[in-house]
């Protein structure tokens, strides 16, 4: 089946530094990728929709200057947490939907997730 | 409003018992898709099933079965003869249309299933 790779799986950083998380679709092209954040024992909260070649669409309440998203190619989207603080510690999950076909029909393929800990 | 409700926060069963996870959704769309995902302790979400709004046939896949009823806006998931490996958090999701002309996925709060040996 389709594979989405997310890297790094775990990252620990000091407060004030920036952290970049990569999301790659390994065997399909993805015009659209999604970034989610998950707090312990909670659901997935959609942060933003990443669109190849254009600006990301952020959900209400998500700081676009804090969470920079770049979708430079059809197989790669990156999330950069800038000037990270302890409250940014969370599990970040990306997902991708294969391009083509009815947009609403595509299932989402998820990356393995990245656990960020900000000290 | 688009919404997915999973009222069961946590369920514990003994191995070999059957268990049903409930999912109720709200949407004004006439065309939509429903999904179930499994999240084991490792964190990765695993796709289980997709169902479109025009297909109300129940589906069975091994020990898994799904009951989609538009009349009650429910898409329930049953595991027959549960096993310890079924222990995970299960999410129900709805593919919803946005005003910008795209679709996004709305997840329920998840149900944590614990299968005891």
């Amino acid at each position: 089946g389709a594979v989405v790779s997310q890297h790094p799986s775990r990252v620990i950083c000091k407060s004030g530094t920036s952290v970049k998380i990569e999301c790659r679709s390994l065997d399909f092209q993805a015009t659209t990728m999604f970034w989610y954040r998950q707090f312990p024992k909670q659901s997935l909260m959609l942060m933003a929709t990443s669109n190849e070649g254009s600006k990301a669409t952020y959900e209400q309440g998500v700081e676009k200057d804090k969470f920079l998203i770049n979708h430079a190619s059809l197989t790669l989207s990156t999330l950069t947490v800038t000037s990270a603080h302890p409250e940014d510690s969370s599990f970040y999950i990306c997902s991708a939907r294969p391009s083509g076909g009815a947009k609403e029909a595509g299932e989402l393929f998820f990356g393995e997730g990245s656990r960020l800990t900000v000290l | 409003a688009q919404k997915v409700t999973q009222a069961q926060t946590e369920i514990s069963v003994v191995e070999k018992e059957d268990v049903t996870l409930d999912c109720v959704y709200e949407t004004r769309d006439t065309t939509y898709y429903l999904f179930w995902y499994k999240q084991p302790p490792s964190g990765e979400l695993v796709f289980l099933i997709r169902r479109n709004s025009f297909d109300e046939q129940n589906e069975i896949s091994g020990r898994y079965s799904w009951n989609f009823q538009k009349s009650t806006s429910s898409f329930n998931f049953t595991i027959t003869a549960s096993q310890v490996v079924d222990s995970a958090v299960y999410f129900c999701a709805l593919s919803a249309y946005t005003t910008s002309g795209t679709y996004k996925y709305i997840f329920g709060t998840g149900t944590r299933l614990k299968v005891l040996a």
Side-chain angles (χ1 to χ4, degrees):
Chain A
V3 177
V4 174
S5 176
Q6 196 171 331
H7 177 81
S9 59
R10 292 181 182 273
V11 56
I12 300 173
C13 69
K14 293 182 178 180
S15 186
T17 61
S18 294
V19 174
K20 179 186 285 188
I21 302 170
E22 292 187 348
C23 179
R24 292 180 185 274
S25 55
L26 298 186
D27 53 1
F28 64 94
Q29 293 185 332
T31 307
T32 305
M33 292 186 176
F34 302 88
W35 286 95
Y36 292 85
R37 182 173 181 177
Q38 186 180 29
F39 292 100
K41 298 188 177 183
Q42 294 190 25
S43 187
L44 284 74
M45 181 191 78
L46 178 64
M47 298 174 64
T49 302
S50 172
N51 305 298
E52 188 269 335
S54 64
K55 293 182 179 180
T57 303
Y58 289 82
E59 295 299 301
Q60 192 172 9
V62 178
E63 299 175 60
K64 55 184 68 175
D65 294 332
K66 174 75 169 174
F67 300 99
L68 300 179
I69 292 173
N70 183 276
H71 196 149
S73 75
L74 287 172
T75 59
L76 173 65
S77 175
T78 60
L79 167 68
T80 301
V81 183
T82 62
S83 187
H85 288 92
E87 57 266 30
D88 298 324
S89 298
S90 191
F91 191 57
Y92 294 88
I93 308 175
C94 76
S95 64
R97 184 173 57 203
S99 300
K103 289 183 179 180
E104 70 277 15
E107 68 183 76
L108 284 183
F109 296 95
F110 285 84
E112 309 93 326
S114 299
R115 190 166 300 284
L116 170 63
T117 302
V118 184
L119 303 176
Chain B
Q2 320 278 10
K3 187 179 178 182
V4 176
T5 300
Q6 293 179 257
Q8 304 151 307
T9 305
E10 187 168 314
I11 301 175
S12 291
V13 298
V14 177
E15 205 170 20
K16 297 184 183 178
E17 285 186 358
D18 297 348
V19 59
T20 296
L21 310 182
D22 297 333
C23 174
V24 174
Y25 64 92
E26 295 176 30
T27 180
R28 285 172 294 194
D29 292 354
T30 54
T31 302
Y32 53 89
Y33 286 76
L34 297 163
F35 304 80
W36 274 95
Y37 285 87
K38 174 182 180 180
Q39 186 179 39
S42 59
E44 181 179 356
L45 276 93
V46 177
F47 168 81
L48 296 178
I49 191 173
R50 176 188 66 207
R51 172 67 72 220
N52 75 55
S53 54
F54 298 107
D55 182 2
E56 288 195 69
Q57 278 193 334
N58 291 331
E59 181 159 338
I60 298 175
S61 176
R63 295 185 297 108
Y64 296 169
S65 62
W66 291 269
N67 183 356
F68 176 32
Q69 293 195 349
K70 287 181 75 171
S71 60
T72 56
S73 297
S74 65
F75 186 42
N76 297 336
F77 172 33
T78 297
I79 301 175
T80 303
S82 61
Q83 300 176 0
V84 173
V85 293
D86 295 328
S87 298
V89 180
Y90 291 86
F91 291 97
C92 180
L94 166 71
S95 173
Y97 182 74
T98 70
T99 53
S100 59
T102 61
Y103 283 80
K104 66 179 182 181
Y105 297 75
I106 297 170
F107 285 81
T109 50
T111 297
R112 183 176 300 275
L113 174 64
K114 293 184 178 180
V115 181
L116 308 173

